[in-house]
Amino acid sequence: MNNAWIKFFRKYGPIPQNDNMYDEAIRRAVRRHNIQQVKFEAPYLESLIKNFILPDPASIILTGTAGDGKTFLCREIWEYYGGSPAVWNNDSKIKQVSLKNGRPLTVIKDLSELKEDEKTILKEMANSLTKNDGSIFLIAANDGQLMEAWTTLGDSEEITAVKSAIEDALVLGRKQCGDFKLLLFNLSKYESNKLLARIIEGVCNHEGWQECNECPNAVTEAGRSCPIWLNLLLLKDPIFQKRLQNLLLLCDYSNLHMPIRQLLILIANAILGHPDTKDQLMKCEDIPTLIESGNAWLGNIYSNIFGSNLKLRRLPEIFETLRGFGIGEETSNYIDDMIILGAENPVSRQRDYFMRFIASDDNYGANDVFLLSQSAYLEGENEEQEQVFLKALSMQRQRLFFVATEESINDLSLWNLSVFHYAGEYISEVISQIKADRRISKAIIDRLVCGLNRIFTGMLTKTTKELWLATSGNYSQARVNKMVEGQISVMPRREESIEIKKNDNGMVELVVNMDRGIAASLPLHLVRYEFLSRVAEGALPSSFSRECYEDILSFKSQVLAKYREIPSPKPSDIVVHFLSLDERSHLVEYPIYVRSGEEAL
Amino acid sequence: MIYPKLPRIQFGAERAPSMWIDEAIWGHRLYDEQTPWLTFLELLSILLSETKQGRGFKEVNGYNTLSYSPQRLLHVRNIVFNNPKMKKIMSEQTSEDGRWQTWLAEIDKGKAGVEIGFASIRKSFNSFEEFAWVIELLRSSSIEGTSNKRFTSKFLFPFGPDCLYEDLHEKQFTNDRRFFARTGELAYLMLCRSGHGDEILKRLQPIVFDRTKPLNQLVKTLRVKEDSSREPHEHAFLPYADLPDYEALAYDWIALLTCGMPGYDVLPHVVTILGLHMLLYFLKRGREHADGSSEMQLVCEIIAPKKTVVRELSIESYQMNNLYSTDAIKQYIQNFTESDEWKNILSAGDRSRKAAEFIKEKFSWEPENLSEPEVMLRSLKENARNRHAQHIGKIHSNWARPLGLVSRRGTKALRYAPTDSFLKSLVFTVVKNRMEFQMFLQELYMRYGFVIGRHQAEATSLIGSRKGDLQAFKENAQRLEMRLVSLGLLKRLSDACAYVINPYTSK
């Protein structure tokens, strides 16, 4: 069998000529081969159309990283308003099309393509925005080029005002640019996990796969199965999809945005990846040889997700990011015992898990290679076998992460397979709660406060009722801080409280509320959440992660600066508040009173 | 160009420096062993004295007329730094009376430079243990407190005006200019002439001159009244009435002092930036006198795991800059000997005596024996070079290292390779709210001559336009980006756009 769609789909993958990553190239290929591209709803398209049908539409800047779909959106709008494909494909970089109300829309699909003299169009734009004369623009540019283009235009009043409005919107994550009739759509703000779901759906439902049903290799029989066909089947598994989406969700809430192009690379590689083929991506012709060699299983979707098949000098960003979770390398004794001891495990619960999650799949789970190397490893036969098994073990951990059922997650402590042990909790108890506008549990806030207290004071405390602010006397960033500045109640008291909530950009933040409406906030992304939790659990802050430690110390200094804005009465005596721990490891204050000498100086 | 110099000041016979060459170029005087912190403390003790006279950061009597009387506070210094047995007494004596009595006996035995005893201190504290805690706190936060310097060269952290005093000889209790060697005087005069003295005083006052701060009050209780009838300190000399560098220093200080850092946290950065400006002052005056240019380029390697082109260029640029001050001395003497006056002397009848007089007048130096002018000149040059090499010539390396600007990590030679804490100080100083990363690199180049990225490298004559070199600088800048990210000081929007953030001022 030779499925033309698979050949086409391959071009979405991480290959040097991944033509399908560019809107321009896809259009050409679609025309030439008469194959439908992967279809999914593009983010923001609807909002764009809604804006342009208004009687008085706003101008729009589309920004984002490379591969976010800026050109695609511009073209969709162009075609929606009847712009001709021929004009679209010609060399002019500044194009015009009439909106329904007859007003012209100026479209620049890539600001960086403009020549120096053409950039004056931005001056016109600044002038017309300032005068609000009703001219309408749609401009696409990645964020770096966008700011650079404005910077090179000089510093007339209009340009400076428009530039700084755009910069504010960009850095602060806002849509509205100052008071101008101008909206900034930052495609990088779109949640990648939502997009991923649509892309998976678009890929799985593509008509091209139907041809595979006729193929003799479309079987599940161990060792005879086509890995492409099998991977597609596994991609449709809701548990797999949810786990993968969760990883992307964690990225989204950590400000690690994955553009469309990267998500397409991910899915194409997940299905087609195999280390022993050209460009490490399978074609139909490869399949018989792979099955014959007995190594077809190496192209399994669970390893492909992390780009393990790839031999590129520089991995695409998506794989670098996903590898950052450490899945495959991290583990717990419980899980490793379960996989290693296998069917012979004396602990029945572990044995059950093995049978359910590993032994049940004889293609990618307990296949012959695995079973053979496992028994060799257990019997300690030789080092070579040991290496084979350790590699297989790592692959089984990756696989387990994507196949373990929801109800087994806690019992297995499934997230111990990643570097973020608290990631599961962060999703279910923080992100989900925030999205549903529900309160975060007290236990979680307590734990984070405990972590903050340990870092802020440098003492191994268990205090969770208040957040303590202490310095070394002359420095707030010292390792150990024994002079009390003050404390802030965690439970609401007067105006004080500590809460976790959604900020204006929909992200999670920890807010320290102080009297007089003063507050300091810390964006609480996964790395910080994990760090504070681990410190509360007993990890030493500066040795666990210096980067995180510095980061939280910088937050401390912001809290302190805010705290000192609150006026406090000057005490009549000289009191120095020392900080120490009581026998239950709670922070206590030890005031020392000093009587001033009588002699006037 | 060489900026015009102010007239030389007059010294009493026994106080005059043995030569007037280093002093003519850099002032009276820069000193390598006076670290940036000690420079800052000297400056503060001058400022306190002058502020009491109502003339903080003002030269009311004209250029180079500074006359001030710093505090000495020997009583406090004995308690904090000349009192090593408190812990031992705490563990050996159990009764309150026993502890105090033993301690009083001990400190009386070892006290130095003070007449009044220490018995009255007990009234201020509830217990000896609390007293010991407080002293330990003061000691652990002090400057040079843990060094093995003499106790009169250890300094309390500047919690307030009652913590400021001058460096003293440990037996004679006079200022022997060992560690307060007048570098602080020069820094003080620079700020006087910066045009922003009032503003800086206003910003510094609440941090270092607030009597009511708890720790200052605490030190105050340890003080006794001291005899202030001493001869004031004089003879500070900063040779230039006006330099762009003075305002640059003031501008940086104001940026730091207004960025909203809590409490005393800003002071380490203020000290670093002071040190950096003093270092640049040293290098620039050196270069001006050596080859007439005031431009400084410091190629900074953001430390790479292995050898790079940037590392080599950084070593080269360090070594080149290191030569300017010695060349300056040579050129300074040379300029005089090319004058008609000197040439006339050479052809005059009484040439040896006239030459000796000329040398005395221009360089304040007397040759041991009267001899041929050329011989005396050679001797002058040699003496000047040796004198320069002893201390002033070492400023570049001795200051840049504690600042965190220069390092030997991974190499045998010194090079510019800034540390994290130095980078932090730069960000807090240069960035108000936020600044685009490339602009930040350019700003560092414009202000301090730091060459980090490719655009700055292109602007210098240090590198050829070889593509590989520029690529190396591009990677150097990328390493800086990574470092700033890890310090929480950089926000990356995408692979094309990043902002350096000052967390204290950003919204």
Side-chain angles (χ1 to χ4, degrees), chain A residues 100-203:
Chain A
K100 295 272 187 279
N101 60 11
R103 279 160 58 182
L105 170 70
T106 306
V107 182
I108 302 171
K109 72 174 162 63
D110 189 348
L111 196 58
S112 67
E113 289 178 350
L114 296 192
K115 295 195 199 80
E116 276 317 303
D117 55 321
E118 288 174 320
K119 284 192 181 151
T120 49
I121 185 95
L122 290 182
K123 282 189 189 163
E124 283 171 38
M125 181 175 169
N127 286 335
S128 86
L129 283 170
T130 311
K131 283 187 238 137
N132 197 11
D133 67 359
S135 306
I136 309 158
F137 293 84
L138 171 62
I139 296 181
N142 78 32
D143 38 23
Q145 291 158 353
L146 181 65
M147 292 331 297
E148 202 185 312
W150 284 96
T151 307
T152 55
L153 284 180
D155 47 7
S156 77
E157 209 174 298
E158 288 87 6
I159 287 171
T160 312
V162 173
K163 184 197 160 202
S164 87
I166 296 174
E167 194 180 78
D168 273 344
L170 192 63
V171 178
L172 303 175
R174 292 184 190 140
K175 204 178 252 180
Q176 176 62 45
C177 300
D179 296 329
F180 297 106
K181 205 152 181 57
L182 175 66
L183 301 176
L184 178 97
F185 283 63
N186 188 346
L187 271 52
S188 299
K189 289 286 160 208
Y190 195 80
E191 283 190 39
S192 316
N193 75 88
K194 286 186 186 163
L195 204 54
L196 179 80
R198 291 189 210 162
I199 290 177
I200 292 180
E201 199 190 336
V203 169

Side-chain angles (χ1 to χ4, degrees), chain A residues 414-527:
Chain A
L414 194 69
W415 284 94
N416 284 1
L417 286 174
S418 80
V419 287
F420 301 106
H421 294 183
Y422 290 88
E425 178 190 279
Y426 181 70
I427 293 172
S428 61
E429 303 301 319
V430 180
I431 297 180
S432 308
Q433 304 299 315
I434 292 268
K435 279 185 163 179
D437 287 321
R438 280 197 295 265
R439 266 180 193 289
I440 306 298
S441 92
K442 174 88 174 50
I444 287 179
I445 295 181
D446 281 355
R447 190 197 315 130
L448 298 175
V449 168
C450 174
L452 285 172
N453 274 331
R454 288 182 176 194
I455 296 162
F456 282 15
T457 65
M459 295 189 210
L460 206 59
T461 175
K462 288 183 182 160
T463 295
T464 59
K465 280 205 183 82
E466 317 87 12
L467 180 67
W468 286 74
L469 303 175
T471 71
S472 69
N474 57 3
Y475 196 41
S476 74
Q477 310 284 294
R479 302 229 157 214
V480 181
N481 300 281
K482 290 202 164 180
M483 271 199 61
V484 182
E485 283 269 332
Q487 38 177 293
I488 296 156
S489 173
V490 173
M491 294 300 279
R493 186 180 66 193
R494 292 195 309 270
E495 291 178 57
E496 291 180 356
S497 69
I498 291 180
E499 54 180 343
I500 295 173
K501 61 178 200 185
K502 182 158 59 177
N503 70 10
D504 295 342
N505 295 323
M507 304 299 258
V508 185
E509 68 181 10
L510 181 139
V511 184
V512 178
N513 295 306
M514 293 165 254
D515 284 345
R516 302 200 172 214
I518 293 170
S521 63
L522 175 77
L524 191 61
H525 51 63
L526 177 61
V527 174

Side-chain angles (χ1 to χ4, degrees), chain B residues 411-470:
Chain B
T411 51
K412 282 193 206 127
L414 285 171
R415 70 185 187 288
Y416 303 112
T419 59
D420 283 352
S421 76
F422 185 75
L423 292 173
K424 271 191 194 174
S425 298
L426 289 181
V427 171
F428 299 149
T429 309
V430 169
V431 178
K432 192 174 183 190
N433 191 10
R434 61 169 186 253
M435 188 182 279
E436 198 271 321
F437 181 65
Q438 292 301 331
M439 207 129 108
F440 176 68
L441 295 179
Q442 189 58 23
E443 195 66 27
L444 292 184
Y445 178 64
M446 304 295 286
R447 289 197 197 189
Y448 315 111
F450 293 149
V451 176
I452 297 175
R454 58 171 289 178
H455 297 301
Q456 294 76 44
E458 269 174 325
T460 69
S461 51
L462 294 167
I463 60 159
S465 54
R466 280 179 308 175
K467 246 190 165 169
D469 292 2
L470 292 179

Side-chain angles (χ1 to χ4, degrees), chain B residues 56 80 95 131 140 227 267 309 417 485 501:
Chain B
V80 181
S95 79
F131 172 54
S140 64
D227 178 18
L267 294 184
V309 178
V485 167
I501 306 280

Side-chain angles (χ1 to χ4, degrees), chain B residues 126-342:
Chain B
N126 284 332
S127 70
F128 184 80
E129 187 179 8
E130 292 189 1
F131 172 54
W133 276 19
V134 165
I135 299 307
E136 186 48 38
L137 173 76
L138 294 177
R139 209 177 282 159
S140 64
S141 59
S142 63
I143 314 288
E144 305 277 359
T146 52
S147 72
N148 55 9
K149 291 201 166 103
R150 57 192 187 186
F151 94 91
T152 48
S153 292
K154 296 183 176 188
F155 297 89
L156 288 168
F157 186 86
F159 293 114
D162 294 293
C163 305
L164 298 170
Y165 48 79
E166 66 173 329
D167 182 42
L168 291 171
H169 188 276
E170 80 272 38
K171 297 232 164 60
Q172 284 141 17
F173 306 102
T174 53
N175 187 337
D176 58 356
R177 300 289 175 194
R178 182 78 186 83
F179 295 106
F180 275 17
R182 296 184 183 271
T183 309
E185 292 179 355
L186 294 189
Y188 176 83
L189 291 177
M190 286 182 188
L191 289 169
C192 286
R193 298 174 197 175
S194 70
H196 299 281
D198 286 344
E199 164 99 25
I200 290 174
L201 181 59
K202 192 178 105 194
R203 303 286 174 189
L204 270 179
Q205 252 167 342
I207 302 173
V208 287
F209 287 171
D210 180 356
R211 279 232 133 82
T212 65
K213 290 251 180 95
L215 287 172
N216 181 68
Q217 291 202 39
L218 202 148
V219 175
K220 198 168 144 215
T221 62
L222 304 176
R223 267 185 83 164
V224 294
K225 200 168 171 149
E226 68 181 18
D227 178 18
S228 56
S229 59
R230 278 166 206 287
E231 230 180 282
H233 293 338
E234 286 168 349
H235 303 121
F237 176 72
L238 178 65
Y240 311 93
D242 193 17
L243 285 179
D245 309 60
Y246 302 161
E247 194 175 8
L249 166 62
Y251 188 72
D252 281 0
W253 265 27
I254 291 169
L256 279 171
L257 292 168
T258 53
C259 89
M261 251 179 249
Y264 303 110
D265 280 7
V266 73
L267 294 184
H269 304 295
V270 163
V271 169
T272 300
I273 290 300
L274 172 66
L276 173 61
H277 279 279
M278 296 303 284
L279 182 69
L280 289 172
Y281 169 82
F282 168 74
L283 291 173
K284 285 184 183 175
R285 299 300 87 72
R287 176 154 194 195
E288 282 156 12
H289 285 77
D291 68 12
S293 161
S294 317
E295 242 178 71
M296 278 322 298
Q297 282 152 0
L298 296 81
V299 177
C300 295
E301 181 200 342
I302 306 301
I303 293 187
K306 54 181 195 292
K307 203 172 149 196
T308 61
V309 178
V310 182
R311 181 173 295 176
E312 281 168 40
L313 289 167
S314 171
I315 293 173
E316 237 171 71
S317 108
Y318 176 86
Q319 288 172 346
M320 202 162 87
N321 292 340
N322 207 32
L323 294 176
Y324 287 132
S325 74
T326 319
D327 286 353
I329 299 291
K330 218 162 80 189
Q331 195 59 45
Y332 183 82
I333 300 174
Q334 186 80 13
N335 288 348
F336 281 101
T337 55
E338 280 167 7
S339 67
D340 290 342
E341 201 182 347
W342 177 254

Side-chain angles (χ1 to χ4, degrees), chain B residues 6-21:
Chain B
L6 293 166
R8 198 191 300 184
I9 47 166
Q10 297 306 313
F11 289 90
E14 78 282 12
R15 285 186 174 161
S18 63
M19 196 179 272
W20 193 261
I21 297 175

